[in-house]
Amino acid sequence: GLQHYKTHPLSVFLSALKKITDSRILKYSVTIKPHPNENDLSEIKKIKDENLSERLEIKITEDKEIIALIGNSDIIIGYNTIAMFEARSLNKRTISLRIAPVRNSLDSAMKKAGIEIAELNAEAITSCLSKENNPPETKEIFNGGIRNTVNLILKELNLN
């Protein structure tokens, strides 16, 4: 759903990750989970192919089992998706790329949940990924989450 960008955010992220892989011996694997409404994956596939390297494996999945994908990942990186909160509820390190402005309430909720926020530039992403981070335990933080989500949606849609 992102539009009007000079450089696709995925391209910015993968180029930052390539800088990290160039400086380390480890091999990295990235799984791209497109949004369910994304039908044309040609641009994403092109970016993926441009960034493949000996130490950077990139795959695109249409797997609907998001919890399994999260469970099999070390770090979850996204953009304002509920999956980031799901990842934090599973105590996974989670990073939100600041691709577009967000409401202060969402920014605050992400920080409270332990979601790191990185600006969309190679330096900020590299810095964020390079630092050791043990996310805070999220036990109990999402109590009442369903009710809070419903209330927020009702408020934002002016339905209450």
Side-chain angles (χ1 to χ4, degrees):
L2 297 173
Q3 300 175 1
H4 311 297
Y5 47 79
K6 293 179 183 175
T7 303
H8 194 288
L10 180 61
S11 186
V12 175
F13 168 70
L14 290 176
S15 67
L17 191 55
K18 277 180 77 172
K19 285 182 182 180
I20 293 172
T21 63
D22 288 346
S23 67
R24 298 182 181 176
I25 299 172
L26 299 172
K27 182 175 181 179
Y28 290 78
S29 176
V30 173
T31 301
I32 300 167
K33 167 73 172 87
H35 190 277
N37 291 337
E38 269 183 285
N39 298 320
D40 181 8
L41 301 180
S42 58
E43 186 175 20
I44 290 174
K45 288 177 181 175
K46 181 180 178 211
I47 294 167
K48 175 195 90 125
D49 292 342
E50 291 171 351
N51 287 281
L52 289 172
S53 73
E54 189 175 299
R55 286 187 251 162
L56 183 57
E57 173 191 6
I58 306 168
K59 58 186 172 185
I60 300 171
T61 184
E62 294 183 36
D63 191 342
K64 305 275 188 258
E65 294 297 320
I66 192 73
I67 298 300
L69 287 170
I70 291 170
N72 291 325
S73 300
D74 295 321
I75 301 174
I76 308 303
I77 300 170
Y79 161 69
N80 299 346
T81 172
I82 196 67
M84 293 187 310
F85 288 94
E86 291 177 273
R88 286 303 300 132
S89 71
L90 296 169
N91 289 314
K92 293 290 184 167
R93 182 176 180 196
T94 307
I95 301 169
S96 176
L97 299 178
R98 192 179 304 277
I99 294 173
V102 297
R103 292 177 183 245
N104 289 340
S105 58
L106 178 58
D107 202 52
S108 176
M110 287 192 292
K111 289 175 184 173
K112 183 177 180 184
I115 297 171
E116 300 167 68
I117 300 172
E119 298 298 325
L120 185 66
N121 64 65
E123 184 177 298
I125 295 168
T126 302
S127 174
C128 187
L129 287 171
S130 295
K131 69 180 179 183
E132 289 295 321
N133 186 353
N134 296 319
E137 184 72 29
T138 54
K139 184 179 180 188
E140 306 287 330
I141 197 170
F142 296 104
N143 280 352
I146 293 173
R147 174 67 357 224
N148 290 339
T149 301
V150 170
N151 289 341
L152 180 63
I153 291 169
L154 291 173
K155 178 183 172 191
E156 293 299 322
L157 296 177
N158 297 317
L159 296 177
N160 56 355

mmCIF file of all heavy atoms in Angstrom, residues 23-58:
data_model
loop_
_atom_site.group_PDB
_atom_site.id
_atom_site.type_symbol
_atom_site.label_atom_id
_atom_site.label_comp_id
_atom_site.label_asym_id
_atom_site.label_seq_id
_atom_site.Cartn_x
_atom_site.Cartn_y
_atom_site.Cartn_z
ATOM 1 N N SER A 23 30.323 -7.121 6.403
ATOM 2 C CA SER A 23 31.276 -6.929 7.499
ATOM 3 C C SER A 23 31.319 -8.115 8.473
ATOM 4 O O SER A 23 32.083 -8.083 9.426
ATOM 5 C CB SER A 23 30.930 -5.647 8.270
ATOM 6 O OG SER A 23 29.691 -5.800 8.933
ATOM 7 N N ARG A 24 30.513 -9.121 8.229
ATOM 8 C CA ARG A 24 30.472 -10.282 9.122
ATOM 9 C C ARG A 24 30.623 -11.570 8.333
ATOM 10 O O ARG A 24 30.362 -11.620 7.143
ATOM 11 C CB ARG A 24 29.157 -10.311 9.897
ATOM 12 C CG ARG A 24 28.986 -9.090 10.787
ATOM 13 C CD ARG A 24 27.702 -9.179 11.566
ATOM 14 N NE ARG A 24 27.534 -7.981 12.401
ATOM 15 C CZ ARG A 24 26.485 -7.756 13.124
ATOM 16 N NH1 ARG A 24 25.499 -8.617 13.156
ATOM 17 N NH2 ARG A 24 26.394 -6.659 13.847
ATOM 18 N N ILE A 25 30.974 -12.612 9.031
ATOM 19 C CA ILE A 25 31.176 -13.904 8.384
ATOM 20 C C ILE A 25 29.871 -14.695 8.281
ATOM 21 O O ILE A 25 29.733 -15.570 7.459
ATOM 22 C CB ILE A 25 32.241 -14.714 9.149
ATOM 23 C CG1 ILE A 25 33.559 -13.944 9.120
ATOM 24 C CG2 ILE A 25 32.415 -16.097 8.579
ATOM 25 C CD1 ILE A 25 34.632 -14.523 9.995
ATOM 26 N N LEU A 26 28.904 -14.367 9.096
ATOM 27 C CA LEU A 26 27.660 -15.120 9.145
ATOM 28 C C LEU A 26 26.832 -14.969 7.878
ATOM 29 O O LEU A 26 26.916 -13.962 7.178
ATOM 30 C CB LEU A 26 26.816 -14.660 10.339
ATOM 31 C CG LEU A 26 27.432 -14.839 11.718
ATOM 32 C CD1 LEU A 26 26.559 -14.167 12.767
ATOM 33 C CD2 LEU A 26 27.614 -16.308 12.036
ATOM 34 N N LYS A 27 25.996 -15.968 7.628
ATOM 35 C CA LYS A 27 25.048 -15.908 6.529
ATOM 36 C C LYS A 27 23.699 -15.493 7.101
ATOM 37 O O LYS A 27 23.303 -15.957 8.166
ATOM 38 C CB LYS A 27 24.933 -17.269 5.837
ATOM 39 C CG LYS A 27 24.010 -17.267 4.658
ATOM 40 C CD LYS A 27 24.012 -18.597 3.938
ATOM 41 C CE LYS A 27 23.073 -18.528 2.750
ATOM 42 N NZ LYS A 27 23.049 -19.762 1.993
ATOM 43 N N TYR A 28 23.015 -14.616 6.421
ATOM 44 C CA TYR A 28 21.724 -14.120 6.869
ATOM 45 C C TYR A 28 20.631 -14.592 5.922
ATOM 46 O O TYR A 28 20.849 -14.724 4.726
ATOM 47 C CB TYR A 28 21.717 -12.586 6.931
ATOM 48 C CG TYR A 28 22.578 -12.046 8.033
ATOM 49 C CD1 TYR A 28 23.955 -11.977 7.904
ATOM 50 C CD2 TYR A 28 22.008 -11.618 9.217
ATOM 51 C CE1 TYR A 28 24.744 -11.495 8.926
ATOM 52 C CE2 TYR A 28 22.796 -11.127 10.245
ATOM 53 C CZ TYR A 28 24.170 -11.068 10.090
ATOM 54 O OH TYR A 28 24.950 -10.590 11.101
ATOM 55 N N SER A 29 19.463 -14.803 6.489
ATOM 56 C CA SER A 29 18.307 -15.220 5.708
ATOM 57 C C SER A 29 17.158 -14.267 6.008
ATOM 58 O O SER A 29 16.846 -14.003 7.174
ATOM 59 C CB SER A 29 17.917 -16.652 6.079
ATOM 60 O OG SER A 29 16.744 -17.022 5.397
ATOM 61 N N VAL A 30 16.545 -13.750 4.961
ATOM 62 C CA VAL A 30 15.425 -12.830 5.098
ATOM 63 C C VAL A 30 14.212 -13.459 4.414
ATOM 64 O O VAL A 30 14.309 -13.927 3.280
ATOM 65 C CB VAL A 30 15.737 -11.466 4.431
ATOM 66 C CG1 VAL A 30 14.510 -10.570 4.413
ATOM 67 C CG2 VAL A 30 16.895 -10.784 5.116
ATOM 68 N N THR A 31 13.105 -13.466 5.123
ATOM 69 C CA THR A 31 11.846 -13.908 4.537
ATOM 70 C C THR A 31 10.933 -12.699 4.433
ATOM 71 O O THR A 31 10.656 -12.035 5.428
ATOM 72 C CB THR A 31 11.170 -14.990 5.413
ATOM 73 O OG1 THR A 31 12.053 -16.101 5.535
ATOM 74 C CG2 THR A 31 9.863 -15.452 4.788
ATOM 75 N N ILE A 32 10.493 -12.415 3.230
ATOM 76 C CA ILE A 32 9.607 -11.285 2.981
ATOM 77 C C ILE A 32 8.184 -11.822 2.943
ATOM 78 O O ILE A 32 7.866 -12.719 2.160
ATOM 79 C CB ILE A 32 9.948 -10.597 1.645
ATOM 80 C CG1 ILE A 32 11.387 -10.074 1.682
ATOM 81 C CG2 ILE A 32 8.953 -9.484 1.341
ATOM 82 C CD1 ILE A 32 11.919 -9.655 0.326
ATOM 83 N N LYS A 33 7.353 -11.263 3.799
ATOM 84 C CA LYS A 33 5.936 -11.648 3.842
ATOM 85 C C LYS A 33 5.144 -10.455 3.333
ATOM 86 O O LYS A 33 4.911 -9.489 4.066
ATOM 87 C CB LYS A 33 5.541 -12.002 5.287
ATOM 88 C CG LYS A 33 4.050 -12.116 5.537
ATOM 89 C CD LYS A 33 3.474 -13.377 4.935
ATOM 90 C CE LYS A 33 2.041 -13.590 5.342
ATOM 91 N NZ LYS A 33 1.098 -12.900 4.458
ATOM 92 N N PRO A 34 4.732 -10.475 2.064
ATOM 93 C CA PRO A 34 3.954 -9.352 1.536
ATOM 94 C C PRO A 34 2.596 -9.252 2.232
ATOM 95 O O PRO A 34 2.068 -10.246 2.729
ATOM 96 C CB PRO A 34 3.756 -9.696 0.055
ATOM 97 C CG PRO A 34 4.768 -10.750 -0.245
ATOM 98 C CD PRO A 34 5.006 -11.484 1.040
ATOM 99 N N HIS A 35 2.058 -8.064 2.244
ATOM 100 C CA HIS A 35 0.720 -7.852 2.792
ATOM 101 C C HIS A 35 -0.269 -8.666 1.950
ATOM 102 O O HIS A 35 -0.103 -8.778 0.732
ATOM 103 C CB HIS A 35 0.367 -6.364 2.740
ATOM 104 C CG HIS A 35 -0.875 -6.027 3.476
ATOM 105 N ND1 HIS A 35 -2.117 -6.174 2.913
ATOM 106 C CD2 HIS A 35 -1.069 -5.573 4.738
ATOM 107 C CE1 HIS A 35 -3.024 -5.825 3.798
ATOM 108 N NE2 HIS A 35 -2.420 -5.450 4.912
ATOM 109 N N PRO A 36 -1.292 -9.239 2.581
ATOM 110 C CA PRO A 36 -2.257 -10.049 1.824
ATOM 111 C C PRO A 36 -2.914 -9.316 0.647
ATOM 112 O O PRO A 36 -3.320 -9.947 -0.321
ATOM 113 C CB PRO A 36 -3.317 -10.415 2.876
ATOM 114 C CG PRO A 36 -2.607 -10.334 4.173
ATOM 115 C CD PRO A 36 -1.582 -9.244 4.014
ATOM 116 N N ASN A 37 -2.994 -7.995 0.712
ATOM 117 C CA ASN A 37 -3.604 -7.233 -0.386
ATOM 118 C C ASN A 37 -2.618 -6.906 -1.503
ATOM 119 O O ASN A 37 -3.007 -6.323 -2.503
ATOM 120 C CB ASN A 37 -4.217 -5.935 0.143
ATOM 121 C CG ASN A 37 -5.432 -6.196 0.997
ATOM 122 O OD1 ASN A 37 -6.070 -7.234 0.879
ATOM 123 N ND2 ASN A 37 -5.749 -5.263 1.873
ATOM 124 N N GLU A 38 -1.351 -7.249 -1.320
ATOM 125 C CA GLU A 38 -0.362 -6.993 -2.366
ATOM 126 C C GLU A 38 -0.466 -8.089 -3.411
ATOM 127 O O GLU A 38 -0.110 -9.234 -3.167
ATOM 128 C CB GLU A 38 1.060 -6.971 -1.790
ATOM 129 C CG GLU A 38 1.502 -5.611 -1.363
ATOM 130 C CD GLU A 38 2.931 -5.606 -0.880
ATOM 131 O OE1 GLU A 38 3.168 -6.081 0.235
ATOM 132 O OE2 GLU A 38 3.795 -5.129 -1.642
ATOM 133 N N ASN A 39 -0.946 -7.717 -4.581
ATOM 134 C CA ASN A 39 -1.142 -8.690 -5.648
ATOM 135 C C ASN A 39 0.006 -8.705 -6.643
ATOM 136 O O ASN A 39 0.379 -9.755 -7.150
ATOM 137 C CB ASN A 39 -2.458 -8.412 -6.390
ATOM 138 C CG ASN A 39 -3.651 -8.552 -5.458
ATOM 139 O OD1 ASN A 39 -3.688 -9.456 -4.635
ATOM 140 N ND2 ASN A 39 -4.600 -7.645 -5.575
ATOM 141 N N ASP A 40 0.565 -7.547 -6.930
ATOM 142 C CA ASP A 40 1.658 -7.456 -7.898
ATOM 143 C C ASP A 40 2.986 -7.435 -7.144
ATOM 144 O O ASP A 40 3.354 -6.433 -6.548
ATOM 145 C CB ASP A 40 1.501 -6.191 -8.744
ATOM 146 C CG ASP A 40 2.591 -6.055 -9.791
ATOM 147 O OD1 ASP A 40 3.391 -7.010 -9.981
ATOM 148 O OD2 ASP A 40 2.644 -4.982 -10.431
ATOM 149 N N LEU A 41 3.676 -8.562 -7.179
ATOM 150 C CA LEU A 41 4.945 -8.687 -6.455
ATOM 151 C C LEU A 41 6.156 -8.475 -7.359
ATOM 152 O O LEU A 41 7.286 -8.734 -6.945
ATOM 153 C CB LEU A 41 5.026 -10.060 -5.785
ATOM 154 C CG LEU A 41 3.919 -10.378 -4.779
ATOM 155 C CD1 LEU A 41 4.116 -11.768 -4.194
ATOM 156 C CD2 LEU A 41 3.865 -9.345 -3.678
ATOM 157 N N SER A 42 5.941 -7.990 -8.567
ATOM 158 C CA SER A 42 7.054 -7.866 -9.515
ATOM 159 C C SER A 42 8.157 -6.937 -8.994
ATOM 160 O O SER A 42 9.340 -7.264 -9.122
ATOM 161 C CB SER A 42 6.554 -7.400 -10.882
ATOM 162 O OG SER A 42 5.881 -6.163 -10.781
ATOM 163 N N GLU A 43 7.800 -5.817 -8.388
ATOM 164 C CA GLU A 43 8.819 -4.898 -7.878
ATOM 165 C C GLU A 43 9.575 -5.534 -6.709
ATOM 166 O O GLU A 43 10.801 -5.434 -6.625
ATOM 167 C CB GLU A 43 8.175 -3.581 -7.440
ATOM 168 C CG GLU A 43 9.198 -2.535 -7.025
ATOM 169 C CD GLU A 43 8.561 -1.189 -6.701
ATOM 170 O OE1 GLU A 43 7.347 -1.114 -6.433
ATOM 171 O OE2 GLU A 43 9.307 -0.190 -6.700
ATOM 172 N N ILE A 44 8.859 -6.213 -5.831
ATOM 173 C CA ILE A 44 9.491 -6.878 -4.693
ATOM 174 C C ILE A 44 10.424 -7.979 -5.172
ATOM 175 O O ILE A 44 11.541 -8.130 -4.680
ATOM 176 C CB ILE A 44 8.420 -7.420 -3.720
ATOM 177 C CG1 ILE A 44 7.746 -6.242 -3.022
ATOM 178 C CG2 ILE A 44 9.022 -8.381 -2.703
ATOM 179 C CD1 ILE A 44 6.579 -6.605 -2.153
ATOM 180 N N LYS A 45 10.000 -8.751 -6.164
ATOM 181 C CA LYS A 45 10.848 -9.823 -6.710
ATOM 182 C C LYS A 45 12.107 -9.251 -7.359
ATOM 183 O O LYS A 45 13.197 -9.800 -7.201
ATOM 184 C CB LYS A 45 10.070 -10.662 -7.722
ATOM 185 C CG LYS A 45 9.022 -11.542 -7.069
ATOM 186 C CD LYS A 45 8.208 -12.302 -8.098
ATOM 187 C CE LYS A 45 7.145 -13.146 -7.408
ATOM 188 N NZ LYS A 45 6.262 -13.810 -8.371
ATOM 189 N N LYS A 46 11.962 -8.124 -8.052
ATOM 190 C CA LYS A 46 13.121 -7.483 -8.685
ATOM 191 C C LYS A 46 14.118 -7.009 -7.620
ATOM 192 O O LYS A 46 15.325 -7.233 -7.737
ATOM 193 C CB LYS A 46 12.662 -6.303 -9.542
ATOM 194 C CG LYS A 46 13.787 -5.596 -10.244
ATOM 195 C CD LYS A 46 13.277 -4.432 -11.077
ATOM 196 C CE LYS A 46 14.466 -3.752 -11.719
ATOM 197 N NZ LYS A 46 14.269 -2.338 -11.907
ATOM 198 N N ILE A 47 13.622 -6.385 -6.560
ATOM 199 C CA ILE A 47 14.483 -5.911 -5.471
ATOM 200 C C ILE A 47 15.168 -7.091 -4.801
ATOM 201 O O ILE A 47 16.363 -7.036 -4.496
ATOM 202 C CB ILE A 47 13.677 -5.072 -4.457
ATOM 203 C CG1 ILE A 47 13.197 -3.775 -5.113
ATOM 204 C CG2 ILE A 47 14.495 -4.782 -3.204
ATOM 205 C CD1 ILE A 47 12.151 -3.018 -4.316
ATOM 206 N N LYS A 48 14.427 -8.149 -4.575
ATOM 207 C CA LYS A 48 14.994 -9.370 -3.975
ATOM 208 C C LYS A 48 16.153 -9.878 -4.822
ATOM 209 O O LYS A 48 17.254 -10.125 -4.321
ATOM 210 C CB LYS A 48 13.927 -10.457 -3.846
ATOM 211 C CG LYS A 48 14.460 -11.784 -3.341
ATOM 212 C CD LYS A 48 13.472 -12.908 -3.579
ATOM 213 C CE LYS A 48 13.740 -13.505 -4.885
ATOM 214 N NZ LYS A 48 13.982 -14.811 -5.165
ATOM 215 N N ASP A 49 15.926 -10.018 -6.117
ATOM 216 C CA ASP A 49 16.952 -10.552 -7.014
ATOM 217 C C ASP A 49 18.189 -9.652 -7.071
ATOM 218 O O ASP A 49 19.317 -10.135 -7.152
ATOM 219 C CB ASP A 49 16.383 -10.752 -8.419
ATOM 220 C CG ASP A 49 15.343 -11.868 -8.469
ATOM 221 O OD1 ASP A 49 15.297 -12.711 -7.537
ATOM 222 O OD2 ASP A 49 14.558 -11.889 -9.438
ATOM 223 N N GLU A 50 17.994 -8.349 -6.994
ATOM 224 C CA GLU A 50 19.109 -7.400 -7.034
ATOM 225 C C GLU A 50 19.976 -7.468 -5.782
ATOM 226 O O GLU A 50 21.134 -7.057 -5.812
ATOM 227 C CB GLU A 50 18.589 -5.972 -7.194
ATOM 228 C CG GLU A 50 17.982 -5.684 -8.540
ATOM 229 C CD GLU A 50 17.286 -4.333 -8.607
ATOM 230 O OE1 GLU A 50 17.114 -3.666 -7.563
ATOM 231 O OE2 GLU A 50 16.891 -3.948 -9.721
ATOM 232 N N ASN A 51 19.420 -7.957 -4.685
ATOM 233 C CA ASN A 51 20.139 -7.933 -3.410
ATOM 234 C C ASN A 51 20.628 -9.287 -2.928
ATOM 235 O O ASN A 51 21.249 -9.365 -1.869
ATOM 236 C CB ASN A 51 19.259 -7.284 -2.337
ATOM 237 C CG ASN A 51 19.149 -5.797 -2.529
ATOM 238 O OD1 ASN A 51 20.050 -5.047 -2.165
ATOM 239 N ND2 ASN A 51 18.065 -5.353 -3.133
ATOM 240 N N LEU A 52 20.358 -10.338 -3.673
ATOM 241 C CA LEU A 52 20.857 -11.659 -3.283
ATOM 242 C C LEU A 52 22.376 -11.651 -3.294
ATOM 243 O O LEU A 52 22.998 -11.009 -4.130
ATOM 244 C CB LEU A 52 20.352 -12.734 -4.256
ATOM 245 C CG LEU A 52 18.873 -13.075 -4.175
ATOM 246 C CD1 LEU A 52 18.498 -14.000 -5.329
ATOM 247 C CD2 LEU A 52 18.543 -13.721 -2.853
ATOM 248 N N SER A 53 22.954 -12.346 -2.354
ATOM 249 C CA SER A 53 24.410 -12.475 -2.334
ATOM 250 C C SER A 53 24.780 -13.803 -1.690
ATOM 251 O O SER A 53 23.909 -14.537 -1.224
ATOM 252 C CB SER A 53 25.056 -11.306 -1.577
ATOM 253 O OG SER A 53 24.838 -11.431 -0.195
ATOM 254 N N GLU A 54 26.057 -14.068 -1.645
ATOM 255 C CA GLU A 54 26.538 -15.310 -1.063
ATOM 256 C C GLU A 54 26.136 -15.429 0.408
ATOM 257 O O GLU A 54 25.866 -16.512 0.907
ATOM 258 C CB GLU A 54 28.062 -15.360 -1.190
ATOM 259 C CG GLU A 54 28.655 -16.689 -0.818
ATOM 260 C CD GLU A 54 30.146 -16.694 -1.079
ATOM 261 O OE1 GLU A 54 30.546 -16.511 -2.246
ATOM 262 O OE2 GLU A 54 30.898 -16.859 -0.096
ATOM 263 N N ARG A 55 26.090 -14.307 1.099
ATOM 264 C CA ARG A 55 25.769 -14.331 2.532
ATOM 265 C C ARG A 55 24.389 -13.786 2.873
ATOM 266 O O ARG A 55 24.052 -13.633 4.030
ATOM 267 C CB ARG A 55 26.825 -13.554 3.311
ATOM 268 C CG ARG A 55 28.120 -14.325 3.402
ATOM 269 C CD ARG A 55 29.077 -13.632 4.295
ATOM 270 N NE ARG A 55 30.129 -13.101 3.427
ATOM 271 C CZ ARG A 55 30.966 -12.158 3.756
ATOM 272 N NH1 ARG A 55 30.915 -11.622 4.933
ATOM 273 N NH2 ARG A 55 31.875 -11.743 2.928
ATOM 274 N N LEU A 56 23.589 -13.505 1.858
ATOM 275 C CA LEU A 56 22.252 -12.984 2.094
ATOM 276 C C LEU A 56 21.239 -13.753 1.253
ATOM 277 O O LEU A 56 21.138 -13.567 0.046
ATOM 278 C CB LEU A 56 22.174 -11.486 1.775
ATOM 279 C CG LEU A 56 20.840 -10.789 2.041
ATOM 280 C CD1 LEU A 56 20.397 -10.956 3.500
ATOM 281 C CD2 LEU A 56 20.929 -9.323 1.677
ATOM 282 N N GLU A 57 20.525 -14.635 1.912
ATOM 283 C CA GLU A 57 19.456 -15.410 1.272
ATOM 284 C C GLU A 57 18.159 -14.643 1.477
ATOM 285 O O GLU A 57 17.849 -14.214 2.594
ATOM 286 C CB GLU A 57 19.361 -16.789 1.915
ATOM 287 C CG GLU A 57 18.185 -17.596 1.431
ATOM 288 C CD GLU A 57 17.949 -18.848 2.257
ATOM 289 O OE1 GLU A 57 18.626 -19.054 3.283
ATOM 290 O OE2 GLU A 57 17.053 -19.613 1.890
ATOM 291 N N ILE A 58 17.407 -14.464 0.407
ATOM 292 C CA ILE A 58 16.148 -13.729 0.483
ATOM 293 C C ILE A 58 15.070 -14.564 -0.186
ATOM 294 O O ILE A 58 15.240 -15.021 -1.310
ATOM 295 C CB ILE A 58 16.248 -12.361 -0.230
ATOM 296 C CG1 ILE A 58 17.431 -11.550 0.297
ATOM 297 C CG2 ILE A 58 14.940 -11.588 -0.073
ATOM 298 C CD1 ILE A 58 17.765 -10.336 -0.549
#
